[in-house]
Amino acid sequence: MSHNRRRILGAALALPAALTAAEVLSATPAVAAGGIEAQPWTDLVLEPGVTAQAGAVPQVRLVTIAGTAFLQARGSVACNLAADQKIATLPAALRPTGLVRATAPRNNGQGINACRFEVNTAGSLTIYGGNSGNPITWVQFDSVQTVWH
């Protein structure tokens, strides 16, 4: 893509001060202000053994800022990952054309408090970093935002 991160962040910061986040997020994509389009949140389809934490259903959506699409995630899951493992599937409409990676917070064990969040072209969401000596028991998605392609 021809957009670099500074240009994208500059566009986001250039929104009018009177424009609130709620107004932008509640606007339909066709009328979203400032060149921002936000799709509705969509629930992830979780794998067996992975459960949504109370009040934090794992969801994803695409947000487009200045022509660049980003995947945003929110929610959290409880799990017991002693190896790299697929934990969910994205809906067909949200599948990338290439491998997408981000970092997500996890339980802090042995000084490790983050794991890799990765989505492939089939829509499989895999979490990397758990092992038998330091299993991942929860993953929180609210900080996951990554360029989508």
Side-chain angles (χ1 to χ4, degrees):
M1 300 215 113
S2 63
H3 303 289
N4 64 37
R5 288 183 182 174
R6 286 185 185 177
R7 188 167 158 196
I8 293 166
L9 289 173
L13 295 173
L15 291 172
L19 185 64
T20 67
E23 290 171 327
V24 171
L25 297 178
S26 66
T28 62
V31 298
I36 297 174
E37 295 179 8
Q39 294 184 359
W41 289 102
T42 303
D43 293 352
L44 291 172
V45 178
L46 300 176
E47 292 292 308
V50 178
T51 58
Q53 291 190 349
V57 173
Q59 298 178 313
V60 292
R61 71 176 178 179
L62 291 180
V63 175
T64 304
I65 301 173
T68 300
F70 295 87
L71 175 75
Q72 266 188 343
R74 69 180 180 185
S76 57
V77 295
C79 51
N80 187 17
L81 309 179
D84 302 339
Q85 186 174 326
K86 176 183 173 183
I87 66 159
T89 302
L90 273 65
L94 294 177
R95 296 192 179 160
T97 58
L99 194 61
V100 176
R101 293 182 177 137
T103 304
R106 59 160 281 186
N107 56 295
N108 188 358
Q110 300 175 354
I112 300 170
N113 60 5
C115 58
R116 188 169 82 207
F117 172 107
E118 184 175 286
V119 180
N120 66 20
T121 57
S124 295
L125 190 164
T126 302
I127 296 296
Y128 291 86
N131 61 60
S132 59
N134 186 12
I136 297 174
T137 59
W138 59 264
V139 180
Q140 202 273 342
F141 299 133
D142 289 354
S143 66
V144 173
Q145 296 188 48
T146 186
V147 173
W148 201 244
H149 50 85

